[in-house]
Amino acid sequence: MSFYLDIYRYDQAVDDVPHRDRVECTIPPNMTVLDALEDVKANVDGSISFRRSCRSAICGSCSMNINGTTGLACKTPVESVLRADNSVAVDPMPNFQPMKDLVVHMDPFWDKYSRLKPYLQPADEDSAHATERRVSPEDMHKLVAVANCVMCATCYALCPVVSVDPAFAGPAAIAYAYRFIEDVRDSKRKERAAQISDDYLWLCAHCYACSYCPKHVDPQDDIIAVKRATIEEGLIDAPGPRHALVVAKTIKHTGMLHETEVIQGTVGRFNIKGLIKVAPFGIRLALAGKIPPLFLKPVDKVNEIAVIFDTLEAPVLA
Amino acid sequence: MTAVIETPQIKRQSKSAQMRKYGFFPGCVAKESCKELFNSTILLADKLGIELVELTAASCCGASVLNDTNRDVARVLNARTYAQAEALGLDDVITICSTCTGHMRAANKELLESEAHMGQANAILGKFGAKYNGGVTVRHLLWLLIDDIGLDALRKMVVNPLRGLKVAPFYGCHIIRPESVNGWESSRNPHSLEDIIEALGGEAIDYAGKTRCCGFHVQLEKDGIAPAMVGQNMRMAKDQGAEAVLTPCPLCHLALDGYQADSAARWGRTDLPTFHLPQLVGLALGIDPSLLGLNKHIVSPGLVLQAHDLAPAHVA
């Protein structure tokens, strides 16, 4: 088949601004975007730069934007992304600084990963340990999906929170925190929970953009589990956990998420500075006639809801 | 001359659809800060000739945060809601919020796929004499419009066409992602809102922000995050020529409507009025605009509506 690759070109060493090359590419059917790039590099223009190694979705090197959305080039068949004008656009991953062509500076991603101390920290030293550390199949099952992470950074590139606040750890790092927090051999559960909380765990916007993980790690569920772990570890004096717990409280008592109480409970009833910060939004709503009730009438049979919370011992804000 | 509107045939085969009578889960925001969404939904149902039976004992769906506190509680709360719908003989529960849609569907999926989860839920529900038999489907009003009413029928019901109004669709995350939970349409290239906009006589604007996050769920966690996400997305819509935004989600509505004032400093003024789905459909179907709560918006839709001769000055 014959089609056009529309390639982002930039070299930080010489270029002030990027430009694009449109290169005709002829490859056999059922080939991938990475095959096409390799063909173009070998036969048309050897100066095109991109990362790749295994070509089979194991190394995680060839993540890039393909027609505006991030994925692994080696796992994306050309036919599946061919646009109406018989072309495929390839760009460097967003949320990273471009280095050359499709290669980006990965440092912020690795830094966030390193901060987690991403290795097992058992209670006793290896040298003092006579036998292997055993893990039940049930406990191991929780770690199987996250073990498939190849650190391709697709989730990080797709994350809308990273795009507006680079301080956010991002999905992959939180998934790795989960990997050790949920490992029964590890002894640093609380320290790890505190570390990832400091790295803005609770800034996850619940958008599920990381559900596009090419390895089906699907970090969104791990992120939720890590949040639960931080609450279990008593790390609740921050807007994120307070928000979750006050939502739980208002649902338990009224059946509804009571907006006005949730705002006060999250910011802190006596946090005058914080309340002043959220005031403009509230005043704007009120001026538009959007005035949430100060007191809510509970839903019918609200006592049943407390039964559910109590049976499950579900925590609520004190 | 007043157009005579025939009530369209319902296409879907579910019991609820055939009875034209659905379980209705308005969600918390439509009962609190976005009452105009609740009111316009009721008016639209009347216009479509369907009955929405509000599940008055239903609890919050969990709003995507209850899972952060406990892994089971949101699922069991939703099982209780489905048990109520079943007790009323209704097998479709209709939502008007993307977050309700996603989280109620996720809970239902877990209940239907795991005997352990269903057993746990029914053991607790049994304490107050309730039981969920697994017969409920959760759908958004958007899907009802397309699957049950149909775009052709909708087109025929339009009496006040949008006259080329350029509308940017904004889906909100939880009605499309994750696909394993929603899966009603492609989450990367959805087009249901575009189809509705065009059926109403408007022009749908294409922009990358339409499937991105509004930031609502982190508005209280750290200053500036939600406004930045709103600004990014609204800038893209504005640059593609949008005059207004249409969303199926009141949380997106609150963020987009409420934070454009804050995002202007970084992303430039966008001032795009953000319509709730039943407001815009209702307007085109001839519902009295003064009843649709168009004056309850922070970014007033007044000028845009008047420019297209869609509503008189006093309603917005």
Side-chain angles (χ1 to χ4, degrees):
Chain A
M1 65 177 297
S2 196
F3 73 105
Y4 290 91
L5 267 179
D6 174 12
I7 308 171
Y8 173 101
R9 300 301 306 270
Y10 171 74
D11 183 346
Q12 66 175 25
V14 291
D15 294 332
D16 290 331
V17 288
H19 67 278
R20 304 194 76 88
D21 279 348
R22 198 173 167 89
V23 184
E24 189 169 11
C25 176
T26 304
I27 51 171
N30 304 319
M31 302 294 268
T32 67
V33 173
L34 182 62
D35 294 326
L37 277 166
E38 299 244 47
D39 185 82
V40 166
K41 187 174 171 75
N43 299 313
V44 183
D45 183 348
S47 73
I48 298 170
S49 295
F50 48 93
R51 287 197 174 102
R52 84 277 179 268
S53 180
C54 77
R55 304 193 298 172
S56 49
I58 292 169
C59 74
S61 302
C62 66
S63 35
M64 61 183 67
N65 255 24
I66 300 164
N67 294 346
T69 190
T70 317
L72 293 177
C74 69
K75 210 181 169 221
T76 307
V78 172
E79 279 95 338
S80 72
V81 290
L82 211 50
R83 298 185 294 190
D85 68 348
N86 196 35
S87 77
V88 175
V90 285
D91 287 81
M93 281 192 286
N95 292 351
F96 289 96
Q97 286 296 319
M99 183 189 294
K100 184 172 185 297
D101 303 335
L102 306 174
V103 177
V104 298
H105 290 277
M106 294 284 285
D107 316 31
F109 180 77
W110 301 128
D111 288 348
K112 286 168 181 174
Y113 173 70
S114 305
R115 288 166 63 83
L116 300 168
K117 303 199 173 80
Y119 41 84
L120 200 65
Q121 297 180 72
D124 48 0
E125 293 298 319
D126 268 345
S127 55
H129 204 80
T131 57
E132 63 184 330
R133 295 187 172 86
R134 306 201 64 166
V135 184
S136 72
E138 295 76 46
D139 285 332
M140 205 64 216
H141 186 74
K142 291 191 264 183
L143 309 180
V144 170
V146 69
N148 286 329
C149 176
V150 294
M151 290 177 270
C152 64
T154 294
C155 59
Y156 190 91
L158 288 168
C159 178
V161 178
V162 172
S163 81
V164 298
D165 189 349
F168 177 50
I174 302 174
Y176 256 88
Y178 166 88
R179 187 251 166 275
F180 292 103
I181 282 171
E182 289 297 317
D183 192 319
V184 293
R185 298 165 295 183
D186 198 76
S187 63
K188 302 285 186 199
R189 192 170 198 260
K190 183 158 190 171
E191 290 84 341
R192 292 183 188 283
Q195 172 70 55
I196 199 69
S197 295
D198 287 348
D199 287 347
Y200 298 104
L201 160 70
W202 291 88
L203 265 192
C204 165
H206 321 175
C207 76
Y208 294 84
C210 51
S211 67
Y212 297 124
C213 170
K215 298 296 285 182
H216 307 293
V217 173
D218 297 349
Q220 71 269 9
D221 296 331
D222 301 338
I223 296 171
I224 294 166
V226 171
K227 287 176 176 175
R228 281 197 297 262
T230 64
I231 289 177
E232 282 163 22
E233 295 294 342
L235 302 164
I236 56 172
D237 189 22
R242 273 204 304 270
H243 180 239
L245 290 167
V246 72
V247 165
K249 179 187 173 189
T250 68
I251 295 174
K252 184 176 178 180
H253 293 159
T254 67
M256 308 259 290
L257 188 160
H258 186 189
E259 292 169 330
T260 45
E261 189 176 347
V262 165
I263 292 167
Q264 288 178 32
T266 304
V267 178
R269 205 177 290 268
F270 303 107
N271 177 1
I272 305 299
K273 213 169 131 191
L275 288 171
I276 289 170
K277 274 188 187 162
V278 299
F281 184 75
I283 291 167
R284 243 175 259 150
L285 287 179
L287 288 175
K290 282 183 156 76
I291 304 172
L294 276 177
F295 300 99
L296 269 189
K297 180 175 158 287
V299 302
D300 296 349
K301 301 182 194 173
V302 69
N303 57 316
E304 297 176 0
I305 291 163
V307 171
I308 294 173
F309 272 83
D310 290 340
T311 308
L312 293 168
E313 295 175 7
V316 301
L317 193 71
Chain B
M1 195 184 84
T2 315
V4 178
I5 301 169
E6 277 179 47
T7 306
Q9 290 299 309
I10 296 276
K11 295 175 174 177
R12 199 173 132 86
Q13 292 305 310
S14 73
K15 204 163 63 180
S16 285
Q18 291 307 303
M19 295 191 298
R20 314 181 81 90
K21 189 173 165 181
Y22 299 86
F24 177 40
F25 182 91
C28 303
V29 176
K31 300 281 281 188
E32 297 184 50
S33 54
C34 290
K35 294 184 193 76
E36 73 278 5
L37 168 60
F38 182 87
N39 296 337
S40 53
T41 302
I42 300 299
L43 291 167
L44 177 61
D46 191 42
K47 188 61 110 180
L48 296 170
I50 59 171
E51 188 183 345
L52 296 179
V53 182
E54 187 181 341
L55 303 172
T56 53
S59 68
C60 171
C61 69
S64 92
V65 284
L66 208 48
N67 287 335
D68 297 347
T69 64
N70 180 284
R71 68 173 72 239
D72 299 313
V73 68
R75 187 190 321 110
V76 180
L77 286 174
N78 284 308
R80 178 177 165 277
T81 299
Y82 308 143
Q84 290 163 42
E86 280 187 342
L88 293 166
L90 303 168
D91 57 358
D92 272 331
V93 169
I94 302 302
T95 63
I96 48 175
C97 167
S98 293
T99 291
C100 296
T101 306
H103 291 278
M104 292 177 73
R105 288 179 65 84
N108 206 22
K109 185 176 190 305
E110 287 178 356
L111 290 162
L112 298 179
E113 288 179 356
S114 158
E115 281 179 23
H117 286 149
M118 188 66 104
Q120 178 201 40
N122 276 326
I124 300 173
L125 265 49
K127 293 184 175 190
F128 40 84
K131 183 169 193 292
Y132 176 44
N133 298 301
V136 165
T137 304
V138 180
R139 299 187 303 142
H140 192 284
L141 175 69
L142 172 64
W143 306 353
L144 181 154
L145 286 174
I146 290 177
D147 281 350
D148 299 17
I149 308 292
L151 290 166
D152 284 340
L154 207 57
R155 216 171 274 121
K156 286 183 194 145
M157 294 180 79
V158 170
V159 294
N160 186 20
L162 298 183
R163 298 186 181 87
L165 178 70
K166 291 182 176 149
V167 185
F170 192 88
Y171 283 85
C173 303
H174 299 149
I175 196 173
I176 48 173
R177 281 188 297 269
E179 274 191 14
S180 59
V181 166
N182 291 300
W184 182 81
E185 63 184 323
S186 159
S187 68
R188 296 217 191 233
N189 295 300
H191 55 80
S192 55
L193 284 175
E194 285 89 330
D195 293 346
I196 296 269
I197 291 163
E198 276 155 18
L200 304 180
E203 186 187 325
I205 296 300
D206 191 24
Y207 68 114
K210 71 181 183 184
T211 56
R212 286 172 67 100
C213 178
C214 71
F216 178 88
H217 289 289
V218 283
Q219 58 176 335
L220 297 171
E221 323 305 342
K222 191 177 177 189
D223 284 348
I225 301 293
M229 288 159 83
V230 165
Q232 225 178 26
N233 293 324
M234 292 301 94
R235 184 77 259 155
M236 287 188 243
K238 187 89 175 175
D239 287 349
Q240 294 303 313
E243 297 170 278
V245 179
L246 177 64
T247 179
C249 180
L251 313 187
C252 297
H253 166 90
L254 281 175
L256 300 178
D257 194 35
Y259 284 125
Q260 286 183 70
D262 296 308
S263 66
R266 164 72 180 81
W267 297 93
R269 286 189 69 157
T270 45
D271 295 338
L272 292 168
T274 307
F275 293 105
H276 298 289
L277 177 67
Q279 281 182 323
L280 203 61
V281 178
L283 190 68
L285 264 48
I287 294 173
D288 179 350
S290 68
L291 302 177
L292 292 170
L294 297 164
N295 56 344
K296 304 281 187 204
H297 291 214
I298 291 166
V299 180
S300 169
L303 288 177
V304 168
L305 292 176
Q306 284 159 47
H308 290 265
D309 201 16
L310 288 167
H314 69 273
V315 304

PDB file of all heavy atoms in Angstrom, chain B residues 249-273:
ATOM      1  N   CYS B 249     -23.785  16.994  30.461  1.00  0.00           N
ATOM      2  CA  CYS B 249     -23.360  16.805  31.846  1.00  0.00           C
ATOM      3  C   CYS B 249     -23.435  18.121  32.622  1.00  0.00           C
ATOM      4  O   CYS B 249     -22.813  19.106  32.241  1.00  0.00           O
ATOM      5  CB  CYS B 249     -21.925  16.282  31.863  1.00  0.00           C
ATOM      6  SG  CYS B 249     -21.301  16.011  33.525  1.00  0.00           S
ATOM      7  N   PRO B 250     -24.179  18.138  33.741  1.00  0.00           N
ATOM      8  CA  PRO B 250     -24.273  19.379  34.518  1.00  0.00           C
ATOM      9  C   PRO B 250     -22.968  19.737  35.223  1.00  0.00           C
ATOM     10  O   PRO B 250     -22.752  20.905  35.558  1.00  0.00           O
ATOM     11  CB  PRO B 250     -25.377  19.075  35.534  1.00  0.00           C
ATOM     12  CG  PRO B 250     -25.401  17.593  35.660  1.00  0.00           C
ATOM     13  CD  PRO B 250     -25.008  17.063  34.313  1.00  0.00           C
ATOM     14  N   LEU B 251     -22.097  18.750  35.470  1.00  0.00           N
ATOM     15  CA  LEU B 251     -20.811  19.057  36.095  1.00  0.00           C
ATOM     16  C   LEU B 251     -19.940  19.816  35.090  1.00  0.00           C
ATOM     17  O   LEU B 251     -19.317  20.824  35.413  1.00  0.00           O
ATOM     18  CB  LEU B 251     -20.112  17.784  36.566  1.00  0.00           C
ATOM     19  CG  LEU B 251     -20.948  16.771  37.346  1.00  0.00           C
ATOM     20  CD1 LEU B 251     -20.062  15.648  37.873  1.00  0.00           C
ATOM     21  CD2 LEU B 251     -21.694  17.422  38.484  1.00  0.00           C
ATOM     22  N   CYS B 252     -19.901  19.322  33.849  1.00  0.00           N
ATOM     23  CA  CYS B 252     -19.198  20.047  32.788  1.00  0.00           C
ATOM     24  C   CYS B 252     -19.802  21.435  32.628  1.00  0.00           C
ATOM     25  O   CYS B 252     -19.087  22.427  32.486  1.00  0.00           O
ATOM     26  CB  CYS B 252     -19.292  19.305  31.452  1.00  0.00           C
ATOM     27  SG  CYS B 252     -18.508  17.695  31.450  1.00  0.00           S
ATOM     28  N   HIS B 253     -21.138  21.494  32.655  1.00  0.00           N
ATOM     29  CA  HIS B 253     -21.805  22.787  32.511  1.00  0.00           C
ATOM     30  C   HIS B 253     -21.307  23.761  33.575  1.00  0.00           C
ATOM     31  O   HIS B 253     -20.956  24.895  33.274  1.00  0.00           O
ATOM     32  CB  HIS B 253     -23.321  22.629  32.610  1.00  0.00           C
ATOM     33  CG  HIS B 253     -24.050  23.928  32.798  1.00  0.00           C
ATOM     34  ND1 HIS B 253     -24.498  24.699  31.748  1.00  0.00           N
ATOM     35  CD2 HIS B 253     -24.358  24.611  33.922  1.00  0.00           C
ATOM     36  CE1 HIS B 253     -25.052  25.804  32.225  1.00  0.00           C
ATOM     37  NE2 HIS B 253     -24.993  25.776  33.545  1.00  0.00           N
ATOM     38  N   LEU B 254     -21.275  23.307  34.833  1.00  0.00           N
ATOM     39  CA  LEU B 254     -20.859  24.196  35.926  1.00  0.00           C
ATOM     40  C   LEU B 254     -19.431  24.673  35.723  1.00  0.00           C
ATOM     41  O   LEU B 254     -19.128  25.850  35.911  1.00  0.00           O
ATOM     42  CB  LEU B 254     -20.980  23.480  37.273  1.00  0.00           C
ATOM     43  CG  LEU B 254     -22.381  23.392  37.876  1.00  0.00           C
ATOM     44  CD1 LEU B 254     -22.343  22.547  39.157  1.00  0.00           C
ATOM     45  CD2 LEU B 254     -22.947  24.771  38.189  1.00  0.00           C
ATOM     46  N   ALA B 255     -18.542  23.742  35.340  1.00  0.00           N
ATOM     47  CA  ALA B 255     -17.137  24.127  35.158  1.00  0.00           C
ATOM     48  C   ALA B 255     -16.979  25.073  33.966  1.00  0.00           C
ATOM     49  O   ALA B 255     -16.350  26.125  34.082  1.00  0.00           O
ATOM     50  CB  ALA B 255     -16.270  22.883  34.984  1.00  0.00           C
ATOM     51  N   LEU B 256     -17.573  24.705  32.826  1.00  0.00           N
ATOM     52  CA  LEU B 256     -17.392  25.513  31.618  1.00  0.00           C
ATOM     53  C   LEU B 256     -18.052  26.872  31.785  1.00  0.00           C
ATOM     54  O   LEU B 256     -17.496  27.910  31.416  1.00  0.00           O
ATOM     55  CB  LEU B 256     -17.982  24.793  30.396  1.00  0.00           C
ATOM     56  CG  LEU B 256     -17.396  23.425  30.052  1.00  0.00           C
ATOM     57  CD1 LEU B 256     -18.127  22.826  28.857  1.00  0.00           C
ATOM     58  CD2 LEU B 256     -15.910  23.503  29.759  1.00  0.00           C
ATOM     59  N   ASP B 257     -19.249  26.876  32.339  1.00  0.00           N
ATOM     60  CA  ASP B 257     -19.982  28.129  32.506  1.00  0.00           C
ATOM     61  C   ASP B 257     -19.313  28.991  33.582  1.00  0.00           C
ATOM     62  O   ASP B 257     -19.209  30.202  33.449  1.00  0.00           O
ATOM     63  CB  ASP B 257     -21.433  27.803  32.905  1.00  0.00           C
ATOM     64  CG  ASP B 257     -22.356  29.002  32.781  1.00  0.00           C
ATOM     65  OD1 ASP B 257     -22.141  29.816  31.852  1.00  0.00           O
ATOM     66  OD2 ASP B 257     -23.275  29.136  33.612  1.00  0.00           O
ATOM     67  N   GLY B 258     -18.844  28.347  34.639  1.00  0.00           N
ATOM     68  CA  GLY B 258     -18.368  29.083  35.804  1.00  0.00           C
ATOM     69  C   GLY B 258     -16.926  29.537  35.739  1.00  0.00           C
ATOM     70  O   GLY B 258     -16.554  30.509  36.412  1.00  0.00           O
ATOM     71  N   TYR B 259     -16.080  28.845  34.974  1.00  0.00           N
ATOM     72  CA  TYR B 259     -14.646  29.146  35.042  1.00  0.00           C
ATOM     73  C   TYR B 259     -14.096  29.903  33.833  1.00  0.00           C
ATOM     74  O   TYR B 259     -12.907  30.212  33.805  1.00  0.00           O
ATOM     75  CB  TYR B 259     -13.839  27.855  35.244  1.00  0.00           C
ATOM     76  CG  TYR B 259     -13.919  27.336  36.669  1.00  0.00           C
ATOM     77  CD1 TYR B 259     -14.338  26.046  36.939  1.00  0.00           C
ATOM     78  CD2 TYR B 259     -13.570  28.161  37.741  1.00  0.00           C
ATOM     79  CE1 TYR B 259     -14.420  25.566  38.241  1.00  0.00           C
ATOM     80  CE2 TYR B 259     -13.658  27.694  39.051  1.00  0.00           C
ATOM     81  CZ  TYR B 259     -14.075  26.402  39.288  1.00  0.00           C
ATOM     82  OH  TYR B 259     -14.159  25.951  40.579  1.00  0.00           O
ATOM     83  N   GLN B 260     -14.936  30.165  32.821  1.00  0.00           N
ATOM     84  CA  GLN B 260     -14.381  30.929  31.687  1.00  0.00           C
ATOM     85  C   GLN B 260     -13.931  32.319  32.127  1.00  0.00           C
ATOM     86  O   GLN B 260     -12.985  32.873  31.569  1.00  0.00           O
ATOM     87  CB  GLN B 260     -15.398  31.020  30.549  1.00  0.00           C
ATOM     88  CG  GLN B 260     -15.553  29.701  29.803  1.00  0.00           C
ATOM     89  CD  GLN B 260     -16.504  29.817  28.620  1.00  0.00           C
ATOM     90  OE1 GLN B 260     -16.190  30.446  27.627  1.00  0.00           O
ATOM     91  NE2 GLN B 260     -17.672  29.184  28.744  1.00  0.00           N
ATOM     92  N   ALA B 261     -14.592  32.864  33.161  1.00  0.00           N
ATOM     93  CA  ALA B 261     -14.171  34.176  33.678  1.00  0.00           C
ATOM     94  C   ALA B 261     -12.758  34.086  34.253  1.00  0.00           C
ATOM     95  O   ALA B 261     -11.968  35.020  34.114  1.00  0.00           O
ATOM     96  CB  ALA B 261     -15.155  34.645  34.741  1.00  0.00           C
ATOM     97  N   ASP B 262     -12.426  32.952  34.896  1.00  0.00           N
ATOM     98  CA  ASP B 262     -11.098  32.802  35.505  1.00  0.00           C
ATOM     99  C   ASP B 262     -10.034  32.442  34.476  1.00  0.00           C
ATOM    100  O   ASP B 262      -8.854  32.718  34.675  1.00  0.00           O
ATOM    101  CB  ASP B 262     -11.127  31.696  36.574  1.00  0.00           C
ATOM    102  CG  ASP B 262     -12.044  32.053  37.722  1.00  0.00           C
ATOM    103  OD1 ASP B 262     -11.886  33.155  38.270  1.00  0.00           O
ATOM    104  OD2 ASP B 262     -12.918  31.239  38.059  1.00  0.00           O
ATOM    105  N   SER B 263     -10.436  31.753  33.416  1.00  0.00           N
ATOM    106  CA  SER B 263      -9.438  31.286  32.456  1.00  0.00           C
ATOM    107  C   SER B 263      -9.061  32.378  31.457  1.00  0.00           C
ATOM    108  O   SER B 263      -8.078  32.248  30.733  1.00  0.00           O
ATOM    109  CB  SER B 263      -9.937  30.043  31.710  1.00  0.00           C
ATOM    110  OG  SER B 263     -11.049  30.359  30.901  1.00  0.00           O
ATOM    111  N   ALA B 264      -9.823  33.471  31.437  1.00  0.00           N
ATOM    112  CA  ALA B 264      -9.605  34.504  30.409  1.00  0.00           C
ATOM    113  C   ALA B 264      -8.194  35.089  30.457  1.00  0.00           C
ATOM    114  O   ALA B 264      -7.589  35.359  29.422  1.00  0.00           O
ATOM    115  CB  ALA B 264     -10.645  35.609  30.556  1.00  0.00           C
ATOM    116  N   ALA B 265      -7.653  35.251  31.662  1.00  0.00           N
ATOM    117  CA  ALA B 265      -6.340  35.886  31.785  1.00  0.00           C
ATOM    118  C   ALA B 265      -5.277  35.100  31.038  1.00  0.00           C
ATOM    119  O   ALA B 265      -4.391  35.683  30.405  1.00  0.00           O
ATOM    120  CB  ALA B 265      -5.967  36.006  33.261  1.00  0.00           C
ATOM    121  N   ARG B 266      -5.342  33.767  31.102  1.00  0.00           N
ATOM    122  CA  ARG B 266      -4.324  32.936  30.471  1.00  0.00           C
ATOM    123  C   ARG B 266      -4.699  32.543  29.034  1.00  0.00           C
ATOM    124  O   ARG B 266      -3.842  32.451  28.161  1.00  0.00           O
ATOM    125  CB  ARG B 266      -4.103  31.690  31.342  1.00  0.00           C
ATOM    126  CG  ARG B 266      -3.380  30.523  30.696  1.00  0.00           C
ATOM    127  CD  ARG B 266      -1.887  30.799  30.503  1.00  0.00           C
ATOM    128  NE  ARG B 266      -1.217  29.666  29.889  1.00  0.00           N
ATOM    129  CZ  ARG B 266      -1.230  29.408  28.595  1.00  0.00           C
ATOM    130  NH1 ARG B 266      -1.895  30.191  27.771  1.00  0.00           N
ATOM    131  NH2 ARG B 266      -0.587  28.360  28.104  1.00  0.00           N
ATOM    132  N   TRP B 267      -5.990  32.264  28.801  1.00  0.00           N
ATOM    133  CA  TRP B 267      -6.405  31.699  27.510  1.00  0.00           C
ATOM    134  C   TRP B 267      -7.197  32.683  26.649  1.00  0.00           C
ATOM    135  O   TRP B 267      -7.670  32.324  25.582  1.00  0.00           O
ATOM    136  CB  TRP B 267      -7.243  30.425  27.736  1.00  0.00           C
ATOM    137  CG  TRP B 267      -6.445  29.363  28.414  1.00  0.00           C
ATOM    138  CD1 TRP B 267      -6.366  29.111  29.758  1.00  0.00           C
ATOM    139  CD2 TRP B 267      -5.547  28.431  27.795  1.00  0.00           C
ATOM    140  NE1 TRP B 267      -5.494  28.095  30.005  1.00  0.00           N
ATOM    141  CE2 TRP B 267      -4.977  27.649  28.824  1.00  0.00           C
ATOM    142  CE3 TRP B 267      -5.175  28.175  26.468  1.00  0.00           C
ATOM    143  CZ2 TRP B 267      -4.051  26.639  28.571  1.00  0.00           C
ATOM    144  CZ3 TRP B 267      -4.257  27.165  26.222  1.00  0.00           C
ATOM    145  CH2 TRP B 267      -3.702  26.423  27.265  1.00  0.00           C
ATOM    146  N   GLY B 268      -7.336  33.915  27.114  1.00  0.00           N
ATOM    147  CA  GLY B 268      -8.128  34.896  26.371  1.00  0.00           C
ATOM    148  C   GLY B 268      -9.609  34.701  26.636  1.00  0.00           C
ATOM    149  O   GLY B 268     -10.042  33.642  27.071  1.00  0.00           O
ATOM    150  N   ARG B 269     -10.367  35.753  26.362  1.00  0.00           N
ATOM    151  CA  ARG B 269     -11.811  35.648  26.620  1.00  0.00           C
ATOM    152  C   ARG B 269     -12.446  34.697  25.622  1.00  0.00           C
ATOM    153  O   ARG B 269     -12.161  34.755  24.427  1.00  0.00           O
ATOM    154  CB  ARG B 269     -12.455  37.027  26.510  1.00  0.00           C
ATOM    155  CG  ARG B 269     -12.122  37.904  27.705  1.00  0.00           C
ATOM    156  CD  ARG B 269     -12.936  39.168  27.680  1.00  0.00           C
ATOM    157  NE  ARG B 269     -14.352  38.876  27.936  1.00  0.00           N
ATOM    158  CZ  ARG B 269     -15.197  39.785  28.395  1.00  0.00           C
ATOM    159  NH1 ARG B 269     -14.798  41.003  28.651  1.00  0.00           N
ATOM    160  NH2 ARG B 269     -16.463  39.459  28.592  1.00  0.00           N
ATOM    161  N   THR B 270     -13.278  33.824  26.129  1.00  0.00           N
ATOM    162  CA  THR B 270     -13.981  32.903  25.235  1.00  0.00           C
ATOM    163  C   THR B 270     -15.487  33.135  25.322  1.00  0.00           C
ATOM    164  O   THR B 270     -16.172  33.155  24.310  1.00  0.00           O
ATOM    165  CB  THR B 270     -13.637  31.441  25.570  1.00  0.00           C
ATOM    166  OG1 THR B 270     -13.696  31.257  26.986  1.00  0.00           O
ATOM    167  CG2 THR B 270     -12.258  31.083  25.069  1.00  0.00           C
ATOM    168  N   ASP B 271     -16.012  33.312  26.548  1.00  0.00           N
ATOM    169  CA  ASP B 271     -17.417  33.683  26.762  1.00  0.00           C
ATOM    170  C   ASP B 271     -18.405  32.840  25.961  1.00  0.00           C
ATOM    171  O   ASP B 271     -19.318  33.367  25.327  1.00  0.00           O
ATOM    172  CB  ASP B 271     -17.628  35.177  26.432  1.00  0.00           C
ATOM    173  CG  ASP B 271     -16.868  36.080  27.389  1.00  0.00           C
ATOM    174  OD1 ASP B 271     -16.536  35.624  28.507  1.00  0.00           O
ATOM    175  OD2 ASP B 271     -16.592  37.239  27.012  1.00  0.00           O
ATOM    176  N   LEU B 272     -18.213  31.548  25.966  1.00  0.00           N
ATOM    177  CA  LEU B 272     -19.142  30.669  25.244  1.00  0.00           C
ATOM    178  C   LEU B 272     -20.266  30.222  26.177  1.00  0.00           C
ATOM    179  O   LEU B 272     -20.006  29.588  27.201  1.00  0.00           O
ATOM    180  CB  LEU B 272     -18.399  29.435  24.713  1.00  0.00           C
ATOM    181  CG  LEU B 272     -17.388  29.706  23.594  1.00  0.00           C
ATOM    182  CD1 LEU B 272     -16.509  28.483  23.342  1.00  0.00           C
ATOM    183  CD2 LEU B 272     -18.111  30.114  22.315  1.00  0.00           C
ATOM    184  N   PRO B 273     -21.507  30.543  25.852  1.00  0.00           N
ATOM    185  CA  PRO B 273     -22.607  30.032  26.677  1.00  0.00           C
ATOM    186  C   PRO B 273     -22.689  28.513  26.555  1.00  0.00           C
ATOM    187  O   PRO B 273     -22.431  27.960  25.482  1.00  0.00           O
ATOM    188  CB  PRO B 273     -23.850  30.709  26.084  1.00  0.00           C
ATOM    189  CG  PRO B 273     -23.452  31.171  24.731  1.00  0.00           C
ATOM    190  CD  PRO B 273     -21.967  31.363  24.726  1.00  0.00           C
TER     191      PRO B 273
END
